């Protein structure tokens, strides 16, 4: 699999939706952990959820920078097509 294919997958709508779903799961787990008294574990899960959810909502993919693509998902999709 070359970087073009990886870039297409990571900038797809399905991938953004998956990141949002994973973020929602992390929020649920963080809530449960905090209620059980595991504050540090809960806060770290909230941080991960914020990063995943934020990048999904803003259509930004930091991995694009590693692949030599623009951070913005829309711009990256244009370059890949």
């Amino acid at each position: 699999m070359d970087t073009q294919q990886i870039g297409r997958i990571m900038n797809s709508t399905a991938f953004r939706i998956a990141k949002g779903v994973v973020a929602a799961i992390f929020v649920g787990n963080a809530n449960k952990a905090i209620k059980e008294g595991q504050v540090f574990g809960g806060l770290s899960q909230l941080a991960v959820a914020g990063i995943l959810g934020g990048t999904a909502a803003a259509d930004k993919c930091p991995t694009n920078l590693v692949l030599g693509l623009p951070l913005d998902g829309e711009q990256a999709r244009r370059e890949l097509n």
Side-chain angles (χ1 to χ4, degrees), residues 10-45:
M10 298 205 56
N11 288 289
S12 69
T13 301
F15 193 80
R16 285 181 62 204
I17 291 169
K19 282 194 326 188
V21 169
V22 171
I25 292 169
F26 268 94
V27 168
N29 289 342
N31 186 34
K32 181 180 174 188
I34 291 170
K35 284 182 180 179
E36 292 174 354
Q38 301 171 354
V39 177
F40 179 75
L43 291 177
S44 62
Q45 288 186 13

